[in-house]
Amino acid sequence: MLSKAAFVLASAALAVIVASFAYEVVMRYFFNAPTRWASDLVSFLLLSAVFLAAPWLTREGGHVSITLLPDLLPEAWSRRIVAAGFLAAAAVCLWAGWIVAGEVRILYARGTMTLSAVPAPKWWFTALILFGFVNSALYFLRLAFGTQGERIPSEARNA
Amino acid sequence: MGVGLLLMLMATGMPVFAAFLLINLIAVGLFIGPAGYSMFTNSLFETTTSQSLVTIPLFILMGEILFRSNAVEVLFRSIDTLVWRVRGRQYVLAVVLATVFSTLSGAAMGVAAMLGRSLLPGMIDRGYDPRLSAGTILAGASLAPLIPPSVLVIIIGTLAGVSIAGLLVAGIIPGLMFAALFLGYIFFRIWRNPEMAPKNSDAVQQVSPGAALRAVLSLIPFTIIIAMVMGLILAGIATPTESAAMGVIGSLATAAIYRSLNLRMVMQSLAAAMKVSAMILIIMASSKLFSQLLAFSGGASALTEWVVGAEMPTWVLLSLMMLLPFVLCMFVDQIALMLIVIPIYLPIVAANGFDPIWFWLLFLVNITVGGLTPPFGYVLFALKSTWREGRLNDVYAAAWPFVMLFILGIVILALVPGLATYLPSLL
Amino acid sequence: ETLRVLTSWDQSFPTVSQVLTAFTDHLEENVEDLDMPVSGPETIPPFEQFDPVSRGLFDVLFTIGSYHYNSLGIGMALDTLKGDLDDWREAGILDYVDQEYQKRGMKLLAILVDPGGYQVVLKEPLTGDALAGRKIRGTPSYHAALNNLGASPVVLPGSEIYPALERGTVDGAAWPIIGTVAFRWYEVADYIMRPSFGQSTYLVLVNLDTWNGLDEETRQQIETAAHDFEPTASDIFRGIVDGEVETLKENGMQETELTEDQAAALQQGWFVGQMDLAATVSPDEVARLRELAEEAGLTY
Ligand code: NA
Ligand code: NA
């Protein structure tokens, strides 16, 4: 549910990116009044969108993978290998999340701001990265131990 | 060694981004320790806030809207009507469109994903060969950095001290030559195996002047997008990045003209574009540290110094100098690679009397093809993210012939420098 | 002893290829067994370098204050001051700046000043009303200065300046004088605005743990050598700036002059804008720095 909401936010962020650029172009060209914020806002929206969307993408089995080995092996083995891959992915995401969490704490404690025309606390964005990794890790675990054996989300099901 | 491990991990079917992350975290843990943790977090932050990458979701969004708005279907039908005699016309369309949109974008990934979403399904539906269709799109998209505007050209010009204007002009004839090579190959394949390009399924055999006129008219809305993006760049109203957003608005206008614009369609397009963009960008973000670590360890510089350090005939030297970025670019971010390699190459280019424009154009083509070369090329991942039915192995198979054509083209350029240097000499 | 140096620019910038290289050569010559290998932005991007160096990933950082003003703003505030290094040292400014950097894990080893400072590159010559109605690309540092001349500041990524100038998306761009040649903006713009303004202060910062881990004698040798080099650096910078301006003129660029009043407004705007920006993140530190500078008459 949380992931779905985050994904909807990510899609909205993409819409705001389009709107910000359009606003900047119109204001600059027609009114000679460029904004101070459009350029940075777009950058931060891109980061937010990517990591907000990541958990839902994982849930849907949507990440790109190279299924060279699983394709060559018999069904049962292929399933085990893919599950092991998901387990490893979960571990990596947790590891990454743990590291990023440490950075969030440091940035928060120092009150580090972003280097942008309109500054914002940098930990906001690293916290979003944390959200993306930890939630993805949980979904990878679910995929690895998924009860629904036939539901191995192959890349063919990308939406 | 890292590369070998990476290949192994990926072959098991582990998500590509997780494999990159794992390698990077192991390397940080082994060689740097906690001091490298901020480097890791910052590499994610830096990549996903980089404005040049914003064009990727914007182009994909454009593709989604066009796909859902029936615009692509109209385009296909118009082409069928207008040039029904030409067998394999949709391949030609793919090359032409990829080239046109490459003009609009500096990012091959964005173009590949956009056409993968909008054009590819239609071609496959019509019975065109999926691999040849996908390969055509990949190849056309890879012309993006050759045709202005191009961030890569600006960076090469800055780092190598060659004329940016000259380098951009120098890309024109080679770009056309590559397009001709692709078309030649496509027609050769069709000639060998007519099955690759279906005859008219709609059985249009005679076209009345009225129908032809209607076909031309129905193309007009589509050109709005091209005008929106290219026109705004040329008129200096929008930067290349901003114009991608204006292209999205243009595609909404197109959808409105085709009477398929509604909130539901827009929401669906946003969601689909976001999904694909996140797939691509998360791979880029996770792999970024790989380039930084390679630079940090000094390994890439040492390799480059070693390659160009030995005594050898000029043509061997030139081949090696091209082979190195080609191979490295499969794993490493193009910009990071240029920062490492170009300073080392500069004195050697001068010492050997290579024409700078010619040499750096070859270099540019090389690093572009690196992004198209299996197994790691980012452009391949971008196309795969949009091609639901295709496996990555299909994408690889689609790419190889065109990688070979690119290499052939590079050899031609190397042997006939005039192809690159003639136009700049007129400046 | 090996001190790994990280710089914010690549070798195509004379700031690195000429000034930093001369600096490391000078130290290696004058300090026994010292080796200073240099890495560039391909290892860590420019705006993210302060933190990893303060945590020991590299030993030395060569950068400017505005690239890390989110960590500490007073390095950047130095760009606005009157006078030279000796005046600043005498006013107690340098000791104070060093002290603040040390609180953040860095020792201020040297300041290499480029007296040439900053300029605005223009597509069209000035016509008397300064930059009224023109769109000029600039980071927030320049905004107050540009506003003072009637321009509309535009925020764009560095890599988009060339095409933006080429197509007239912007009418000009503000940047240090050094860099206009490397970025080849002379291919797409014809004028450089005069007078130039401000000065660029490049900082050489050393990781504090690394510094404290060196023996007393080595520290002494390094400090003396670095200090000795500071005037040389400014001479090299002057040479580079003269050379670059000459190159620009050979490629068809012409100077276009502000009036005296406009020039004063520009200088004033630069001072206020840069100081205010520095103060957004480090209000107390910048206030103290301003106080010291005002007492010594070094402010605009
Ligand atoms: Na392009
Ligand atoms: Na690459």
Side-chain angles (χ1 to χ4, degrees), chain C residues 15-34:
Chain C
T15 314
V16 173
S17 60
Q18 298 187 38
V19 183
L20 179 65
T21 306
F23 178 77
T24 52
D25 287 351
H26 180 79
L27 261 63
E28 285 170 347
E29 265 165 41
N30 290 282
V31 181
E32 268 168 61
D33 295 330
L34 182 69

Side-chain angles (χ1 to χ4, degrees), chain C:
Chain C
E1 200 67 49
T2 300
L3 296 180
R4 287 195 66 167
V5 185
L6 179 64
T7 90
S8 301
W9 306 273
D10 59 77
Q11 293 284 341
S12 68
F13 280 79
T15 314
V16 173
S17 60
Q18 298 187 38
V19 183
L20 179 65
T21 306
F23 178 77
T24 52
D25 287 351
H26 180 79
L27 261 63
E28 285 170 347
E29 265 165 41
N30 290 282
V31 181
E32 268 168 61
D33 295 330
L34 182 69
D35 186 26
M36 298 181 79
V38 176
S39 304
E42 69 280 5
T43 41
I44 301 179
F47 298 157
E48 309 287 350
Q49 293 175 335
F50 188 81
D51 195 48
V53 180
S54 71
R55 284 153 82 176
L57 197 51
F58 283 85
D59 303 303
V60 181
L61 175 62
F62 180 66
T63 189
I64 50 171
S66 54
Y67 284 7
H68 60 258
Y69 79 89
N70 51 350
S71 297
L72 181 61
I74 49 178
M76 159 173 154
L78 290 174
D79 281 9
T80 63
L81 298 182
K82 280 183 186 164
D84 57 24
L85 279 177
D86 290 333
D87 300 325
W88 302 354
R89 197 164 277 126
E90 209 159 293
I93 293 173
L94 296 191
D95 280 340
Y96 176 67
V97 172
D98 181 29
Q99 182 191 321
E100 287 300 326
Y101 270 106
Q102 293 208 17
K103 286 186 193 162
R104 286 155 187 85
M106 295 282 232
K107 144 115 195 129
L108 177 65
L109 177 62
I111 296 183
L112 309 183
V113 179
D114 166 18
Y118 304 82
Q119 73 183 3
V120 178
V121 169
L122 291 173
K123 292 212 49 131
E124 301 293 332
L126 294 167
T127 52
D129 54 355
L131 297 176
R134 295 192 207 204
K135 294 179 281 249
I136 309 290
R137 186 271 174 189
T139 57
S141 294
Y142 300 97
H143 286 189
L146 294 172
N147 283 329
N148 273 4
L149 297 181
S152 308
V154 176
V155 182
L156 281 183
S159 60
E160 297 220 318
I161 300 178
Y162 183 98
L165 282 173
E166 182 182 29
R167 292 283 152 209
T169 317
V170 294
D171 305 303
W175 197 271
I177 296 181
I178 298 177
T180 309
V181 170
F183 287 119
R184 310 188 77 82
W185 292 333
Y186 55 80
E187 293 178 4
V188 286
D190 289 332
Y191 297 91
I192 43 179
M193 192 174 84
R194 285 294 175 268
S196 55
F197 53 99
Q199 47 192 347
S200 317
T201 50
Y202 294 84
L203 309 173
V204 183
L205 301 164
V206 185
N207 174 281
L208 196 58
D209 292 333
T210 305
W211 183 251
N212 291 333
L214 298 170
D215 61 68
E216 179 63 41
E217 198 192 327
T218 311
R219 282 203 299 248
Q220 196 59 51
Q221 286 178 357
I222 292 178
E223 245 179 339
T224 310
H227 183 67
D228 287 349
F229 184 79
E230 284 171 340
T232 318
S234 291
D235 291 341
I236 301 176
F237 272 123
R238 276 187 205 97
I240 297 172
V241 168
D242 290 347
E244 297 236 327
V245 171
E246 200 169 307
T247 307
L248 294 179
K249 288 182 177 163
E250 276 164 15
N251 285 282
M253 281 193 121
Q254 297 170 30
E255 294 183 349
T256 179
E257 293 275 345
L258 291 169
T259 66
E260 235 165 77
D261 290 350
Q262 291 166 346
L266 171 68
Q267 188 64 254
Q268 174 68 21
W270 170 248
F271 173 77
V272 172
Q274 186 87 332
M275 273 291 185
D276 286 355
L277 194 60
T280 52
V281 178
S282 316
D284 301 339
E285 293 85 350
V286 170
R288 177 76 191 125
L289 178 105
R290 260 182 107 146
E291 217 173 83
L292 290 169
E294 262 158 27
E295 278 166 22
L298 299 173
T299 54
Y300 282 91

